[in-house]
C-alpha cells in the first residue's frame, strides 16, 4: 500500500492511495491562493483598475512582458484571467485512476482537471449534497471567471521572470503549474461522471474493496470515507467537525480501529473559535447597521452561509433591526437556498425534527417569504436594483475579492467609513484579499468561521480512533528537528506516523496476507480435518478456484467440470522427527524385515539389503534411495506414515 | 443445507394486511405490519399469536421493516408495538416515518369516533410507536445487529416507498413491498442493482396485466371531469390527505394549464396543505423531472388549485373539489356529497378503495338512496365513477425486476391466487428458477447453498496466479489450488504448507524417494538428458518439463543423468512423498523406455 500526495494545500487535499492493484484518489481540492496574485476582475468596468500603471522590473527590457504586470497600491499584480493551482499531474497518471472518492464540496473543485482530457476512465463517488452544492460552487466560479470580460489574455511571460519580481509575487509557488479554469462544457462533463451515494452505503470497488461514506459533521453531505476489505481497513478523515451545526453529526464509530488513518483538511484558523467569531460578526454587523452603514460578507454560496443567515437574522431581530434587508447575490443563490431545504435526510436531528412537522429545516425559506431575505443572480438584475435599500447586509462572492459581485461592492463602498466588510471564509488571508483596494476607509473585520477540526480536537479524535498507522500532510506534523518556530500546533500520536508532502509517495505499513473467499459446503463436508492440538484442526484440501467479479469461490474440483488432467493429489504433510526404532518395527509389520541401522553424523542410515534400499534419516527429512520394486516403496510409505504425525 | 423460511400472516395469495415472517440464519424478521381494510373484527390485524401463542413477542422477532405508509402495510404497527408489546427495532424510510402517523391517526378517528370501536389504539399510542422507529435512507446499509444487515432501494409506489434487501451471513432476501417499474406523474421507477439474492419476495397485484393502462385511466378521468364541468356540473373527489390526492392534483393542474381551463378547483383545507408540504420537503424522493425543476417551480405549489371554504358548497356553477375523508364516511366530503348528490349534472369520482359500512361503499355498490342517522334520506342522482390509480408493477415490470436483481428463487405475495399461478408459471419457464406462493399461515421453505467464508493465503493465490498466467489464456481452464485447510477458533483458513507449519509451530518432515534407472547410451550425459526430455515431452503432454545443466524437472519431479561418456548412464529419479503418483509414473516410463 502506497500513499501519494498531490496537493500542497492541506485544506484542499488530494491523495492517491494504491492498494490491491487499485489506484484510489481521495479528494481533488483546488488551491485558489494563486488568484490573490491577479488583479480583480470587476463585474462592472472600473476606471481605477483599468488605468493602473504598467510595471516592469528594473533592468529588464522584455517586450513580451508588456502589459502583463500592473502596479496597484504599491504592489505588483498580474493583469490576466486568474489562474488556479490544480493537483500535481506528474506523479500519478490520471488515466490509470480507478476511482475518485470525494469527501465534501470544498474538496472537489479540481475534478475537471483530473477527469477531462486526461484519459480518465474510472468512477467518481460523492454524496448527493456534495454533488449539488459542489455544482453550485463550480458553476459560480466558472461564471464569474469567464463572465467578467476575459478580454485580457493569459499572461505567461512573467512566469519566466518570477525571480526578478518583487515579493509577494516573487515567492509565488510554482506559477508554471497554474492553470486557467476549465470550460463550462468540461465542468458539465466532469460532474456528469459523479455517482451519487448515501451515508453508510457500501460501494463495491471492482470487487476488491467496499468504500463507505460516513457522516463527517462538517457541512451538508460531507463524508469521511472508510475503505474496507475482509482484512484491511483504511479511514480517510477529511473536513470533519465535532461541533454542532446544521449538518448530520460526525459518525466516529465507523472510523475506529483502522489499519491506516489519513487525516486532512483540518481547520485553517486554529486560533479562532467559530462560535466566538459568529458572535463577533453579529456584533460588528449590528454596530455598523445602527450607524447607517452597510455590511458586506464575501462568502461562498453555501455552507456557513446558512448558519450566518440563521444567526444574523435572529440577532438583528433581537436588536430591533428586523427591517434591515439581507441580500444573497450569486448566480446560484436561488438554487442554493431552495436546495438546502429539501435535504432533510442530511441535516442534524434538530433540523430533521422540523421536517416532520412539516416545516423547512432552515429558516431562510421563511425569511424569503417574509421579504427579509432576497436573492439575485447578479448586482445588475433589474428586480434587485429596483429593490436595493441601504443599510443592508449583502452576502456575495468571491471570498478572494478577485472576481464576483463582491469586487464591485468593495470598489463602491471602500471610501465610506460607515460601511464594513466582514470576512468569514477561512480560505484567504483577508489582508491580501484587500490589497488591491487600498487605501480602504470602510471597516474591515476578520471573523473566520472554520468548523473543521482544530488540532486539539483532531488529536483527541486520533486517540479515540486508535488507528494502527497515521498519515498526515507535512503541515500537520511536528516541525522537523523539534526546534524552529517553537511549539507550532501539530498532530502527535503514539502510533507510527507517515508524513507526506506534495509530490511524495510513501509506503505504508499495511501488509496483506490473506484474501477472503467462500468455501462451498460440499467441499467443506468432504474435508475431514484432524485435530492437531486443542482448538486447531487441519486437513489437506484441493479446490477449484472460481473468480467472478474479483470475488473468490472455492468449489469442489470435480464440480468445476472442465475437461483436462486430473488434479494432483492433495499434499500430505508430515512433521516432527522420525523415531527410527518405531520405523523399524513398522517396517517389520509391513513385511520388510532385516533392517540395519547405522548412526551417522546428523541422523542415521537404515539399510534394507534385501530390498536394495537405503533410508537417510535426518531431523527434518528422510531420503529414501529405493532401487527395489514399487510395492516396497508403498510399504515404506505406509510405515513412514505410521511413524510420523501427518495429515 | 441452510434454509430460508417464509410465512405470510397476511398478503399470502391475498391483497391487504401485508405481514410476512421471514426467518433465516437464526434471525426472524417481520416484513410489513398491515391491517385489512375490509374487516372490522380481529381479522383486521395479523394473527400475532402465530408467532408466539403467549408471552413476549419481542424475543421472537429481531426487527420489523415497513415498506411504505399505506395502511395495509403499516396499519397494525401501533397495535403490535403498543398493545401486543413488541419493543424491538422498527425500520422505515424518512418520508414513511413522517407520513404514516398522519394516516394512522386518520384511520383511528374513523374507526373509533365514527364507528365507535373500542379496543383500538389511541393517538398517544401512534405517537409512541413512531418514536420507536429508526428512519433509514436509500442504499444505507444498516446493521440491525452483528449479523443482520438491511438496505433500502427506491420502489416508486408512493412517496418514500422502499424495497428492502436483507442479509444474514451468506443468505440474502429482497422484499419489494409495493413497487412500480414505470415512472408516473410524481414518482420515479423502482430500481435495484444486481444483488443476486437467494430469494425475491415480490408483490403481484397486477400479475396478469401485461401493460399497465394507467395512462388510459388518467385520460378517462380527465375527460370525465372536463365533460362534467363543461356542462356546469360539480365534481366531488373524496380523497385521503396523502398519496393519491397529490397525484390527482398534479394531473388536474397540468391538464388545466394545458387546456387553459378556468373552472375553479378546490382542495379542502387543513391536512392537505400540510400534506403538500411533506411532498415539498421530500422532493428528493419524487421523480427526476420534478426534482430538476423544483427551484423554478415546485410541482406541489399548485397554481390552479385553491383552498376550499365551506361557504363555497352552495356557490353556483361548475367546480372540482377534493375533500377528505376518502370513504365518504364523515366530515367535509360527506357534507358536500349530501348537498350535491341529488343533481344529475354533478359527479362523484371515487379514486380508491372503500371499506364496508361506509357511505362510499354503499354508493359504489349502486345504492340510489342513502339514509343517515337523523333519518335524513339523500337521493343519489349524480353520476358515480370508480377509478383506481394505484401504482403497481405489471407482469412485465415484475419480470423486469427479476431480471435486474437475478434472484435464485422468487416468492409471490400481495395478489390473487389465480393470477399468481399464471405468473409463477411464467417465471419458472422464463428464468428456470423456483417460484413459491404460500397462502396465509403456510410456510415456504427455501434451501440455499452453504457458503462458508474462508481466508485464503495470498501466497497460495499468488503462486496459483503465476502458474495460471504463464499458460495461454483459456477462460475455461480450471484453476486449482492445493493447500491445507486450517480450522482455528472456528475460523477457516486455507494455507500454503510452509505457512501452515509456521502458523502452528511444527517442523516439517520431508520424505523424498530416489530411484535409479540404468541406461546404455553413448555420448555425454547432457545429450542423454536432452534425449530423455524429448521422449518425456512426447509422453507427458500438458505438463511443464524444463531442463537445465542436464537436470530435467517434470513439475516437481527431478531427473538427473550421470555417467562417463560412452558408458552406461545412471538416471536418478527423485520426488517427494506427495508427488508419489507422478514420480512412480515417470519412473515406470523410464524403465520401460530403457528396455
Amino acid at each position: 500500500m502506497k500513499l501519494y500526495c498531490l496537493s500542497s494545500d492541506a485544506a484542499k487535499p488530494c491523495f492517491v492511495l494504491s492498494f490491491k492493484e487499485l489506484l484510489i484518489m481521495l479528494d481533488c481540492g483546488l488551491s485558489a491562493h494563486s488568484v490573490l496574485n491577479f488583479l480583480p476582475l470587476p463585474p462592472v468596468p472600473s476606471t481605477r483598475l483599468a488605468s493602473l500603471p504598467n510595471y516592469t522590473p528594473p533592468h529588464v527590457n522584455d517586450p513580451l512582458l508588456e502589459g502583463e504586470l500592473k502596479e496597484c497600491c504599491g504592489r505588483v499584480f498580474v493583469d490576466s484571467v486568474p489562474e488556479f493551482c490544480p493537483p500535481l499531474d506528474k506523479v500519478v497518471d490520471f488515466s490509470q485512476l480507478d476511482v475518485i472518492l470525494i469527501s465534501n464540496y470544498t474538496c472537489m473543485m479540481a475534478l475537471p482537471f483530473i477527469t477531462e482530457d486526461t484519459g480518465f476512465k474510472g468512477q467518481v463517488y460523492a454524496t448527493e449534497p456534495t454533488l449539488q452544492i459542489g455544482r453550485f460552487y463550480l458553476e459560480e466560479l466558472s461564471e464569474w471567471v469567464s463572465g467578467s470580460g476575459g478580454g485580457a489574455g493569459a499572461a505567461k511571460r512573467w512566469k519566466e521572470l518570477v525571480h526578478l519580481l518583487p515579493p509577494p509575487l516573487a515567492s509565488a509557488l510554482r506559477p508554471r503549474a497554474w492553470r486557467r479554469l476549465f470550460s463550462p462544457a468540461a465542468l458539465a462533463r466532469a460532474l456528469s461522471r459523479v455517482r451519487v451515494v448515501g451515508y453508510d452505503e457500501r460501494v463495491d470497488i471492482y470487487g476488491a474493496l467496499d468504500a463507505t461514506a460516513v457522516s463527517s459533521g462538517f457541512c451538508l453531505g460531507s463524508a469521511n470515507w472508510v475503505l474496507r476489505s475482509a482484512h484491511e481497513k483504511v479511514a480517510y478523515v477529511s473536513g470533519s467537525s465535532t461541533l454542532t451545526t446544521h449538518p448530520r453529526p460526525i459518525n466516529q464509530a465507523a472510523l475506529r480501529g483502522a489499519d491506516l488513518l489519513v487525516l486532512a483538511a483540518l481547520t485553517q484558523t486554529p486560533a479562532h473559535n467559530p462560535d466566538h467569531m459568529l458572535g463577533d460578526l453579529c456584533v460588528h454587523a449590528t454596530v455598523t447597521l445602527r450607524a447607517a452603514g452597510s455590511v458586506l460578507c464575501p462568502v461562498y454560496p453555501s455552507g456557513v452561509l446558512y448558519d450566518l443567515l440563521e444567526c444574523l437574522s435572529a440577532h438583528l431581530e433581537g436588536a430591533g433591526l428586523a427591517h434591515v434587508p439581507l441580500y444573497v447575490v450569486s448566480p446560484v443563490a436561488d438554487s442554493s437556498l431552495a436546495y438546502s431545504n429539501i435535504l432533510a435526510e442530511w441535516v442534524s436531528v434538530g433540523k430533521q425534527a422540523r421536517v416532520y412537522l412539516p416545516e423547512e429545516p432552515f429558516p431562510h425559506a421563511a425569511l424569503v417569504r417574509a421579504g427579509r431575505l432576497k436573492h439575485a443572480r447578479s448586482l445588475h438584475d433589474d428586480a434587485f436594483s429596483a429593490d436595493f435599500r441601504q443599510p443592508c447586509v449583502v452576502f456575495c462572492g468571491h471570498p478572494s475579492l478577485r472576481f464576483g459581485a463582491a469586487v464591485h461592492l468593495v470598489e463602491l463602498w471602500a471610501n465610506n467609513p460607515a460601511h464594513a466588510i466582514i470576512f468569514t471564509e477561512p480560505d484567504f488571508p483577508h489582508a491580501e484579499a484587500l490589497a488591491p483596494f487600498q487605501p480602504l476607509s470602510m471597516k474591515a473585520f476578520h471573523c473566520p468561521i472554520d468548523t473543521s477540526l482544530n488540532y486539539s480536537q483532531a488529536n483527541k479524535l486520533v486517540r479515540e480512533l486508535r488507528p494502527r498507522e497515521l498519515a498526515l500532510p507535512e503541515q500537520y506534523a511536528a516541525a522537523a528537528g523539534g526546534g524552529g518556530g517553537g511549539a507550532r500546533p501539530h498532530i502527535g500520536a503514539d502510533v507510527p506516523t507517515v508524513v507526506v508532502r506534495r509530490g511524495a509517495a510513501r509506503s505504508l505499513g499495511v501488509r496483506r496476507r490473506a484474501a477472503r473467499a467462500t468455501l462451498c459446503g460440499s467441499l467443506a463436508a468432504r474435508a475431514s480435518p484432524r485435530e492437531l492440538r486443542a482448538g486447531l484442526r487441519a486437513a489437506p484440501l484441493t479446490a477449484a478456484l472460481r473468480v467472478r467479479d474479483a470475488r473468490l469461490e472455492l468449489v469442489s474440483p470435480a464440480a468445476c467440470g472442465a475437461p483436462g488432467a486430473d488434479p494432483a493429489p492433495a499434499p500430505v504433510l508430515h512433521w516432527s522427527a522420525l523415531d527410527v526404532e518405531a520405523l523399524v518395527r513398522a517396517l517389520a509389520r509391513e513385511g520388510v524385515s532385516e533392517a540395519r541401522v547405522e548412526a551417522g553424523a546428523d541422523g542415521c542410515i537404515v539399510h534394507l539389503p534385501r530390498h536394495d534400499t537405503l533410508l537417510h534419516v535426518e531431523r527434518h527429512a528422510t531420503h529414501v534411495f529405493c532401487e527395489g520394486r514399487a510395492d516396497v516403496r508403498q510399504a515404506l510409505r505406509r510405515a513412514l506414515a505410521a511413524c510420523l504425525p501427518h495429515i | 443445507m441452510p434454509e430460508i423460511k417464509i410465512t405470510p400472516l397476511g398478503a399470502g395469495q391475498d391483497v391487504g394486511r401485508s405481514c410476512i415472517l421471514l426467518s433465516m440464519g437464526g434471525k426472524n424478521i417481520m416484513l410489513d405490519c398491515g391491517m385489512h381494510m375490509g374487516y372490522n373484527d380481529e381479522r383486521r390485524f395479523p394473527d400475532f399469536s402465530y408467532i408466539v401463542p403467549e408471552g413476549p413477542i419481542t424475543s421472537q422477532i429481531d426487527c420489523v421493516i415497513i415498506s411504505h405508509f399505506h395502511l395495509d402495510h403499516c396499519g397494525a404497527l401501533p397495535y403490535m408495538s403498543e398493545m401486543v408489546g413488541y419493543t424491538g427495532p422498527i425500520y422505515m424510510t424518512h418520508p414513511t416515518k413522517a407520513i404514516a402517523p398522519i394516516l394512522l391517526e386518520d384511520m383511528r378517528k374513523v374507526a373509533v369516533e365514527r364507528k365507535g370501536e373500542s379496543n383500538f389504539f389511541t393517538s398517544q399510542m401512534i405517537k409512541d410507536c413512531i418514536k420507536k422507529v429508526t428512519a433509514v435512507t436509500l442504499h444505507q446499509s444498516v446493521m440491525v445487529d452483528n449479523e443482520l444487515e438491511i438496505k433500502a432501494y427506491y420502489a416508486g409506489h408512493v412517496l418514500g416507498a422502499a424495497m428492502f434487501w436483507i442479509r444474514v451471513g451468506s443468505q440474502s432476501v429482497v422484499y419489494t413491498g409495493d413497487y412500480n417499474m414505470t415512472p408516473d406523474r410524481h414518482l420515479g421507477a423502482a430500481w435495484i442493482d444486481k444483488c443476486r439474492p437467494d430469494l425475491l419476495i415480490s408483490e403481484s397485484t397486477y400479475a396478469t396485466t401485461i401493460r399497465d393502462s394507467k395512462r388510459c385511466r388518467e385520460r378517462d378521468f380527465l375527460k370525465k371531469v372536463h365533460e362534467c364541468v363543461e356542462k356546469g356540473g360539480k365534481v366531488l373527489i373524496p380523497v385521503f390527505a396523502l398519496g393519491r390526492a397529490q397525484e390527482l392534483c398534479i394531473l388536474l393542474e397540468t391538464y388545466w394549464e394545458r387546456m387553459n381551463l378556468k373552472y375553479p378547483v378546490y382542495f379542502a383545507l387543513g391536512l392537505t396543505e400540510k400534506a403538500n408540504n411533506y411532498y415539498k420537503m421530500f422532493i428528493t424522493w419524487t421523480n427526476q423531472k420534478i426534482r430538476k425543476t423544483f427551484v423554478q417551480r415546485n410541482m406541489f405549489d399548485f397554481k390552479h388549485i385553491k383552498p376550499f371554504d365551506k361557504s363555497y358548497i352552495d356557490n353556483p356553477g361548475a367546480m372540482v373539489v377534493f375533500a377528505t375523508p376518502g370513504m365518504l364516511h364523515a366530515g367535509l366530503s360527506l357534507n358536500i356529497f349530501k348537498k350535491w348528490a341529488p343533481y344529475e349534472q354533478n359527479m362523484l369520482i371515487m379514486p380508491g378503495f372503500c371499506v364496508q359500512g361506509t357511505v362510499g361503499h354503499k354508493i359504489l355498490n349502486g345504492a340510489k338512496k342513502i339514509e343517515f342517522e337523523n333519518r335524513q334520506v339523500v337521493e343519489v342522482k349524480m353520476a358515480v365513477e370508480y377509478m383506481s390509480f394505484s401504482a403497481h408493477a405489471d407482469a412485465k415490470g415484475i419480470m423486469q425486476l427479476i431480471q435486474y436483481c437475478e434472484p435464485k428463487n422468487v416468492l409471490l405475495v400481495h395478489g390473487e391466487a389465480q393470477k399468481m399461478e399464471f405468473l409463477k408459471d411464467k417465471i419458472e419457464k422464463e428464468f428456470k428458477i423456483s417460484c413459491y406462493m404460500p397462502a396465509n399461515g403456510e410456510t415456504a421453505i427455501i434451501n440455499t447453498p452453504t457458503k462458508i467464508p474462508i481466508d485464503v493465503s495470498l501466497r497460495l493465490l499468488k503462486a496459483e496466479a503465476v502458474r495460471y498466467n504463464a499458460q495461454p489464456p483459456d477462460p475455461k481452464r480450471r484453476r486449482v489450488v492445493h493447500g491445507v485447510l486450517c480450522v482455528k477458533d472456528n475460523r477457516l483458513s486455507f494455507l500454503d504448507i510452509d505457512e501452515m507449519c509456521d502458523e502452528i509451530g511444527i517442523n516439517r518432515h520431508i520424505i523424498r524417494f530416489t530411484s535409479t534407472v540404468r541406461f546404455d547410451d553413448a555420448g555425454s550425459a547432457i545429450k542423454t538428458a536432452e534425449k530423455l526430455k524429448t521422449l518425456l515431452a512426447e509422453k507427458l503432454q500438458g505438463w511443464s518439463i524444463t531442463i537445465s545443466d542436464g537436470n530435467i524437472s517434470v513439475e516437481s519431479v527431478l531427473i538427473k543423468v550421470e555417467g562417463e561418456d560412452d558408458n552406461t548412464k545412471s538416471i536418478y529419479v527423485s520426488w517427494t512423498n506427495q508427488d508419489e503418483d507422478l514420480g512412480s509414473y515417470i519412473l515406470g516410463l523410464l524403465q520401460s523406455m530403457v528396455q
Side-chain angles (χ1 to χ4, degrees), chain A residues 218-513:
Chain A
F218 172 61
C219 58
L220 286 176
S222 70
N224 292 322
W225 284 91
V226 179
L227 299 169
R228 217 173 341 205
S229 67
H231 297 96
E232 300 86 15
K233 178 175 174 178
V234 176
Y236 174 57
V237 173
S238 161
S240 297
S241 177
T242 49
L243 302 175
T244 313
T245 54
H246 60 266
R248 271 250 288 264
I250 182 171
N251 175 356
Q252 289 192 30
L255 307 170
R256 254 180 224 131
D259 294 295
L260 171 70
L261 177 73
V262 183
L263 197 61
L266 302 183
T267 181
Q268 300 183 68
T269 56
H272 297 87
N273 175 317
D275 274 340
H276 298 167
M277 290 298 113
L278 193 57
D280 285 1
L281 176 134
C282 289
V283 171
H284 291 317
T286 322
V287 170
T288 308
L289 292 169
R290 283 232 170 92
S294 292
V295 178
L296 171 65
C297 287
V299 292
Y300 291 118
S302 176
V304 175
L305 172 65
Y306 302 146
D307 293 318
L308 291 182
L309 289 174
E310 187 167 353
C311 285
L312 192 60
S313 64
H315 187 86
L316 292 182
E317 203 167 297
L321 291 164
H323 57 279
V324 173
L326 308 173
Y327 298 107
V328 179
V329 183
S330 160
V332 295
D334 54 345
S335 309
S336 170
L337 292 180
Y339 204 82
S340 60
N341 271 325
I342 62 160
L343 295 173
E345 282 144 302
W346 305 87
V347 293
S348 61
V349 177
K351 293 234 180 293
Q352 212 165 63
R354 297 169 59 94
V355 177
Y356 287 128
L357 291 178
E359 282 168 23
E360 284 97 349
F362 289 97
H364 48 242
L367 292 175
V368 170
R369 274 197 298 274
R372 286 182 63 193
L373 175 64
K374 297 189 177 75
H375 52 79
R377 285 188 53 77
S378 67
L379 285 174
H380 37 272
D381 265 8
D382 290 341
F384 179 70
S385 313
D387 204 40
F388 189 71
R389 278 188 293 130
Q390 281 183 323
C392 62
V393 184
V394 182
F395 298 91
C396 63
H398 183 270
S400 68
L401 298 187
R402 290 303 179 270
F403 35 82
V407 176
H408 183 66
L409 287 175
V410 179
E411 287 270 286
L412 211 62
W413 291 351
N415 295 324
N416 190 340
H419 297 316
I421 179 165
I422 308 178
F423 290 88
T424 56
E425 299 290 349
D427 280 352
F428 303 96
H430 75 291
E432 279 199 54
L434 281 173
F437 302 97
Q438 298 295 350
L440 196 72
S441 304
M442 77 191 289
K443 295 181 292 258
F445 300 106
H446 186 225
C447 304
I449 299 173
D450 192 339
T451 54
S452 207
L453 291 174
N454 64 31
Y455 287 88
S456 67
Q457 288 163 345
N459 272 319
K460 181 163 172 279
L461 185 73
V462 171
R463 272 200 304 281
E464 284 170 4
L465 297 183
R466 301 184 167 281
R468 260 174 228 112
E469 193 176 14
L470 181 68
L472 296 172
E474 58 173 349
Q475 290 92 327
Y476 299 154
R488 166 163 80 101
H490 65 271
I491 301 297
D494 51 357
V495 293
T497 304
V498 171
V499 177
V500 288
R501 53 187 299 193
R502 186 176 195 260
R506 298 294 301 271
S507 291
L508 300 163
V510 181
R511 290 275 171 275
R512 294 184 59 224
R513 286 201 176 78

